[in-house]
Amino acid sequence: GFSPAEISGNVTVTATNGKTISSGSDSIFTVKNGGTLTLNENVTLETSSQGKSCINVEEGGTLILNGATIQATSEYNVSGITITHGTLTINTGNITRLTGSLIVATDSTITITGGTISSNSSNLSLTNCQADISGLTVTSNTTSSNGGGINISGSGTYTFNNCTITSNTASVRGGTPRY
């Protein structure tokens, strides 16, 4: 079977003519303690692995998106990024068509300076994070829980500047701190 690539050093994935990396049975990448994974433009991650994330970032790991796309190829419960006690930087990129959690960040440092999160059946979930978010567009997402676009829980520090958060739907409730 397919095993996720384990990143323990510095790895950069770049494609000039577009490259799709996919998995139907497991996560695509696991970023380990001390590892940094950078995904640049023209790189698309697709998964149809039910109950799995495209990328898992473990304690002490770092993920940087510089224009990459994360998407699902099925209607199963497929997630984008799961990060606990790690660092996530999104300079630009797209997260779309996911039916599981888009980004689940717990006790992590999040910096977003651009990108689009759209047309998903879930939300961006931040718990006890330090987050500085600007230039992000969150639109046309739907969830059966709290916060159609973004759900913030626990403590932490959250700063939003020049973001567009529109047309998101939550079955339970939206509003501050749920967008």
Side-chain angles (χ1 to χ4, degrees):
F2 179 87
S3 294
E6 292 188 355
I7 309 300
S8 58
N10 293 325
V11 174
T12 300
V13 179
T14 301
T16 54
N17 294 321
K19 176 65 178 166
T20 299
I21 303 168
S22 62
S23 171
S25 61
D26 210 333
S27 301
I28 298 172
F29 293 107
T30 297
V31 184
K32 308 295 260 180
N33 186 3
T36 299
L37 173 62
T38 302
L39 299 173
N40 290 326
E41 290 184 29
N42 300 316
V43 174
T44 300
L45 301 184
E46 291 184 337
T47 186
S48 59
S49 304
Q50 184 170 354
K52 301 289 184 177
S53 293
C54 282
I55 304 169
N56 292 308
V57 181
E58 296 181 353
E59 182 174 354
T62 299
L63 173 62
I64 302 169
L65 297 182
N66 287 327
T69 297
I70 298 174
Q71 64 188 22
T73 58
S74 72
E75 294 181 9
Y76 297 112
N77 183 23
V78 176
S79 299
I81 300 166
T82 302
I83 179 170
T84 304
H85 296 282
T87 302
L88 172 63
T89 300
I90 300 176
N91 296 314
T92 186
N94 297 300
I95 299 174
T96 188
R97 297 188 344 231
L98 296 173
T99 53
S101 302
L102 310 179
I103 299 173
V104 176
T106 306
D107 299 310
S108 295
T109 301
I110 311 298
T111 304
I112 299 175
T113 59
T116 301
I117 296 174
S118 65
S119 304
N120 297 287
S121 296
S122 188
N123 58 22
L124 166 61
S125 177
L126 305 172
T127 304
N128 302 324
C129 292
Q130 303 302 310
D132 186 5
I133 300 172
S134 63
L136 178 66
T137 299
V138 181
T139 186
S140 302
N141 300 289
T142 303
T143 183
S144 59
S145 63
N146 295 320
I150 301 171
N151 186 45
I152 297 171
S153 61
S155 61
T157 303
Y158 303 91
T159 304
F160 291 86
N161 288 304
N162 300 317
C163 295
T164 302
I165 303 171
T166 61
S167 302
N168 299 292
T169 305
S171 294
V172 178
R173 63 181 173 200
T176 307
R178 297 163 176 91
Y179 301 94

